[in-house]
Amino acid sequence: MTQHVRDKEPETAVEPGRGRLLEPLCLTLMAGAGVLFVVHPEFYEAGVHLFASRAASLVH
């Protein structure tokens, strides 16, 4: 967020610098999930089954 926009909208709750920590953490988690999907695809199938069964129980 630029300084001009921050001065124009003071009620915006954006902390500068917070994204610098969260972005690498999220990318690391996504990369780990991708590796896990490639190495053990049965985890993906179990997750889909769990999601589908929970959705069906809500509908039923």
Side-chain angles (χ1 to χ4, degrees), residues 14-59:
V14 174
E15 298 176 21
R18 184 173 178 174
R20 291 185 182 139
L21 176 65
L22 290 178
E23 185 176 355
L25 179 64
C26 291
L27 288 174
T28 304
L29 288 174
M30 288 173 42
V35 169
L36 190 62
F37 172 71
V38 171
V39 175
H40 293 288
E42 63 269 7
F43 287 131
Y44 175 73
E45 294 171 6
V48 169
H49 177 70
L50 179 67
F51 179 77
S53 64
R54 294 243 174 135
S57 70
L58 290 175
V59 173

